[in-house]
Amino acid sequence: MDKSYKILFNDVTTFIFDVDGVLTNGIVTVFPNGELVRQMNIKDGYALKAAVKAGYNVCIISGGKNEGVRTRLENLGIKDVYLGAHNKLVQYNEILEKYNLNPEHIMYMGDDIPDAPVMEKVGVPCCPNDAVRELQQLSVYISDKKGGEGCARDVIEQVMRVQGKWQDNFDATYD
């Protein structure tokens, strides 16, 4: 397998993730009151928290609006959680300006068509292995994990290992 994508991982300072289909498996349980419930992988949570602790910018841009998702992510230390984002470029540009970022230093992981405009702008577009074909074609790295099954952990751990920062974070806790 070609591992040339790891060269790009050296320069990543910022992780941006979609939620549904990336941090979740894309399946929602619909309760009689209309509430939509998602499941998130605890190993992804550990890696997200480790990345925050290591000083990376970790941001979320999601079209979903579930406040439980916001609470979960904020409890991991993520400060930039954008929900209800239908044109993700708006929030992406806000993040660029807020942190004065170079797009080449940004890793974005998405799984479906609404993620494509941002993925076309970043230096390290990635996706889970069950992402739609169009996003797989845009990606420099396709995780061997599916959405909600550790794909965020996979890419965060790889970036941190390439940069020699993974072992420094073993005291992060699972929450």
Side-chain angles (χ1 to χ4, degrees):
M1 176 185 204
D2 178 18
K3 300 208 183 228
S4 60
Y5 62 88
K6 291 204 176 201
I7 293 167
L8 298 173
F9 286 3
N10 276 311
D11 297 325
V12 171
T13 63
T14 302
F15 295 100
I16 304 176
F17 293 96
D18 176 33
V19 174
D20 292 322
V22 175
L23 298 180
T24 77
N25 63 6
I27 296 172
V28 294
T29 301
V30 182
F31 283 100
N33 67 359
E35 182 181 7
L36 304 177
V37 178
R38 295 152 173 87
Q39 293 181 336
M40 293 182 151
N41 188 300
I42 199 78
K43 291 177 183 167
D44 285 343
Y46 176 85
L48 289 163
K49 191 170 187 173
V52 168
K53 182 178 179 282
Y56 293 91
N57 300 310
V58 180
C59 310
I60 305 298
I61 304 175
S62 176
K65 298 178 185 177
N66 186 293
E67 287 301 315
V69 168
R70 179 188 310 279
T71 300
R72 165 72 177 145
L73 296 168
E74 287 177 349
N75 285 340
L76 295 172
I78 301 170
K79 294 179 178 42
D80 298 293
V81 179
Y82 299 91
L83 302 180
H86 298 293
N87 175 358
K88 295 182 179 191
L89 280 174
V90 171
Q91 290 77 16
Y92 168 73
N93 287 325
E94 186 176 319
I95 291 165
L96 276 179
E97 186 175 320
K98 180 178 182 178
Y99 295 107
N100 193 29
L101 297 172
N102 177 339
E104 294 301 310
H105 299 162
I106 300 173
M107 193 260 13
Y108 184 97
M109 182 174 265
D111 73 303
D112 209 345
I113 301 301
D115 299 304
V118 176
M119 289 179 66
E120 290 170 343
K121 302 264 185 206
V122 301
V124 189
C126 300
C127 68
N129 74 4
D130 59 343
V132 297
R133 180 177 27 130
E134 293 87 349
L135 266 64
Q136 290 187 17
Q137 292 170 348
L138 286 174
S139 295
V140 297
Y141 175 70
I142 301 171
S143 175
D144 65 343
K145 309 286 188 218
K146 293 181 179 179
E149 296 182 9
C151 62
R153 162 70 177 259
D154 172 41
V155 74
I156 291 169
E157 182 176 338
Q158 285 197 58
V159 166
M160 291 179 73
R161 282 186 187 278
V162 164
Q163 295 181 11
K165 297 179 180 178
W166 182 248
Q167 281 99 352
D168 294 343
N169 282 283
F170 283 128
D171 62 345
T173 58
Y174 283 92
D175 288 8

